[in-house]
Amino acid sequence: EASWEEALDIAAKGLVKIRDEKGVKALAGFGSAKGSNEEAYLFQKLVRTGFGSNNVDHCTRLCHASSVAALFEGLSSGAVSAPFSAAMDAEVIIVIGANPTVNHPVAATFIKNAVKQNGAKLFVMDPRRQTLSRHATKHLQFKPGSDVAMLNAMINTIITEGLTDDQYIAGYTEGFEDLKEKIKEFTPEKMEAICGIPAQTLREVARTYARAKSSIIFWGMGISQHVHGTDNARCLIALALITGQVGRPGTGLHPLRGQNNVQGASDAGLIPMFLPDYQPVGRDDLRGSFEKLWQQDLDPVRGLTVVEIMNAIHAGEITGMYIEGENPAMSDPDLQHARQALAMLDHLVVQDLFVTETAFHADVILPASAFAEKDGSFTNTDRRVQLARQVIKPPGDARQDLWIIQEIGKRMGLPWNYAGPGEVFTEMAELMPSLKNITWERLVREGAVTYPVDAPDQPGNEIIFTTGFPTASGRGKIVPAKVIPPDEIPDAEYPMVLSTGRVLEHWHTGSMTRRAQVLDQIEPEAVAFMSPKDMHKKKLVPGDFIRLETRRGAVEVKVRSDRDVPENMVFMPFCYAEAAANLLTNPALDPFGKIPEFKFCAARAERAEMRDAAE
Ligand SMILES: Nc1nc2c(c(=O)[nH]1)N[C@H]1C(S)=C(S)[C@@H](COP(=O)(O)OP(=O)(O)OC[C@H]3O[C@@H](n4cnc5c(=O)[nH]c(N)nc54)[C@H](O)[C@@H]3O)O[C@H]1N2
Ligand SMILES: Nc1nc2c(c(=O)[nH]1)N[C@H]1C(S)=C(S)[C@@H](COP(=O)(O)OP(=O)(O)OC[C@H]3O[C@@H](n4cnc5c(=O)[nH]c(N)nc54)[C@H](O)[C@@H]3O)O[C@H]1N2
Ligand SMILES: [Mo]
């Protein structure tokens, strides 16, 4: 225990010492997608001006990094093209690699209502069945990791059967001729063997999507968390572009965002290759306006990403970190490796609501405040910037994040004197074109504004890309994808597939929800989910303990029978510290988004010898 003064002094001194003795690249920071836009902005500014490098990242790297890579490559914008309520205007809805009733319950309600009230056709594409499957016209339960095969077969059908929107292609896209050539080999018959969906079904779904007046695609982690995550997203973009299913009511591309403020934290620049609003750190012309306003030269070289930072610690290159509102000791892949890295650091400052598994490794823990305990703006999955107002006082001696980040900044020599989030937002708006016509005063007055906004007195544009794209040519780029298998294929030694994700009751690493009595009573202990057939084969009954093992490690966990899980797969949420799924996951990365393959690795599941259900 220490006073705030003492804690802040030690926290900042440790960082300064490393910066001055080992150099600016020996420090790194993880900011938070749970905090406000202003906190995210100030945190990346601290790393870029106080630490002196671009070694700043956050959980988006583990989340939609590959979707964003594909969207930027094709459309020069990583945000959704339409809000989730656009489902209500859609004739056809595709939900792929997402489980909205569990993870996006509000959006799921719109999707269910679209089916029920408007008769929309819903296609759910997921190796695992889910609640939404019951509302679906069809659930395509394809083989995990084979999205590109399935989607390419659909693109092939649309092109060979002449279901493309040729006027849209001519007016708003580029790269179609190349796609047309390359897609020839991906016939539904050939792809059936890879993805496990009958060619006839692939054709029917493709036709329905292409022919509908309005079709929209929602996607989630089942698309992004693969070594071919960017390719998966490229296929979805190609589907929308060749059929013109974007830029009109009821159409579009909607990567369902995860953390409450992952859109805002990314926009605000918690990304190692981009300054706020995705302005590349290497572009002298763009960096110049930041250098002018911040009155300091900035590093023109991109920084390291989440997993790269952990590797750099092992290599002895990074020795100090500041982690605000993230729990990498639970959320990173291959935890043994990640936790070793955290333990190797000479100096670690952790700022969180709770003493997390990450805080366990810290030299200084700074108790921060949750969203209800502070003011700030948050940007949701629909690009809606919303003002959250403080409703309760932080407990005990906990302090607000903005204040803490600023105090660290001052102690590192920065001339900061922000009176509150309003001043920080005003500075952001000066540097971020996306916030044009959104002022703090407007947020206070209206509560929420969706960007982009054309004028101070006009509402924001919910649907974008109505007349082309913000690319240099104004056209959306179609990028063909090849079929690449997952990094680690099941074999004789590890014959099953381990897939990880979420449950309704818990949030990610469980640091918050497992401390919530009610939620923890509903889902109190670590579980893995297996198909009844596999359980029967292995002579397991629900409640038995299994030993789940991969090339990275092993955990013992209770098993639950679940008809939604396909044969030969084990599904496990990553919220349980006592059986952390990420001790098992594969850290292999997608080459473009640098996202790890959380959704697929080879595993072995056996009855745990020492334990049984009676225990
Ligand atoms: N209750 C709760 N809600 C949350 C969260 C939470 O922790 N708890 N986290 C939030 C965050 S940050 C995020 S990113 C979102 C995530 O929300 P989702 O994207 O819905 O999350 P997941 O459960 O990880 O995975 C989605 C689906 O991908 C499927 N899948 C697995 N492998 C494949 C594959 O190879 N291809 C395809 N197409 N699908 C596959 C899984 O079966 C699963 O149904 O949820 C947000 N909402
Ligand atoms: N195996 C596996 N691993 C995964 C995934 C998967 O599907 N499978 N999904 C990945 C994805 S999509 C994501 S987004 C990441 C999430 O990874 P993390 O972001 O590391 O997970 P959280 O548990 O949400 O951690 C957020 C922390 O912030 C704290 N916090 C909340 N609000 C505040 C605040 O206002 N201020 C401060 N200072 N702290 C706050 C919480 O107490 C918590 O400890 O996990 C990734 N890891
Ligand atoms: Mo996420």
Side-chain angles (χ1 to χ4, degrees), residues 208-363:
T208 312
Y209 172 83
R211 281 188 185 137
K213 255 206 294 264
S214 53
S215 296
I216 188 165
I217 304 175
F218 294 96
W219 78 89
M221 298 298 101
I223 284 290
S224 62
Q225 292 172 334
H226 286 283
V227 288
H228 47 81
T230 305
D231 282 334
N232 289 348
R234 282 174 176 144
C235 292
L236 298 176
I237 296 165
L239 264 178
L241 288 180
I242 64 170
T243 54
Q245 296 288 19
V246 64
R248 291 176 288 114
T251 68
L253 294 161
H254 191 123
L256 285 156
R257 249 46 191 222
Q259 295 271 30
N260 53 330
N261 199 32
V262 68
Q263 181 66 57
S266 303
D267 294 349
L270 282 182
I271 302 186
M273 37 288 212
F274 295 131
L275 291 154
D277 254 356
Y278 311 93
Q279 307 185 51
V281 293
R283 283 268 304 270
D284 295 345
D285 51 333
L286 300 176
R287 203 176 58 250
S289 50
F290 289 87
E291 291 176 331
K292 202 165 148 221
L293 196 72
W294 294 351
Q295 298 185 322
Q296 191 175 326
D297 286 345
L298 299 173
D299 187 352
V301 182
R302 59 156 279 208
L304 301 179
T305 60
V306 168
V307 177
E308 287 171 346
I309 286 171
M310 293 300 171
N311 293 338
I313 300 172
H314 277 275
E317 287 154 16
I318 288 177
T319 57
M321 273 196 85
Y322 180 11
I323 301 179
E324 182 235 344
E326 293 235 319
N327 191 9
M330 284 291 291
S331 56
D332 270 17
D334 191 6
L335 279 186
Q336 188 70 19
H337 177 85
R339 288 174 180 177
Q340 255 168 16
L342 294 172
M344 281 170 74
L345 288 169
D346 289 337
H347 189 64
L348 172 61
V349 180
V350 172
Q351 177 171 324
D352 205 292
L353 311 181
F354 300 107
V355 182
T356 60
E357 293 73 17
T358 302
F360 175 83
H361 297 281
D363 294 272

Side-chain angles (χ1 to χ4, degrees), residues 36 102 137 332 358 535 544 571 590:
S36 67
V102 166
T137 307
D332 270 17
T358 302
M535 288 189 55
D544 278 352
F571 170 76
D590 170 278

Side-chain angles (χ1 to χ4, degrees), residues 369-374 389-393:
S369 306
F371 71 96
E373 297 160 356
K374 57 196 179 188
R389 294 182 174 89
Q390 180 174 5
V391 289
I392 44 172
K393 276 210 193 101

Side-chain angles (χ1 to χ4, degrees), residues 25 75 84 95 103 105 111 134 176 185 201 266 270 286 337 422 426 468 472 512 522 524 527 529 544 589 598:
K25 306 263 165 151
L75 315 179
F84 56 69
V95 173
N103 298 316
I111 295 171
R134 285 192 230 130
F176 178 68
E185 58 173 306
T201 307
S266 303
L270 282 182
L286 300 176
H337 177 85
T426 304
M512 295 174 288
I522 306 174
V527 282
F529 300 72
D544 278 352
L589 301 181
F598 285 127

Side-chain angles (χ1 to χ4, degrees), residues 154 157 161 187-189 198-208:
M154 287 175 61
T157 304
E161 298 188 3
T187 62
E189 276 71 23
Q200 198 46 34
T201 307
L202 293 169
R203 286 209 174 86
E204 276 163 26
V205 177
R207 288 173 192 143
T208 312

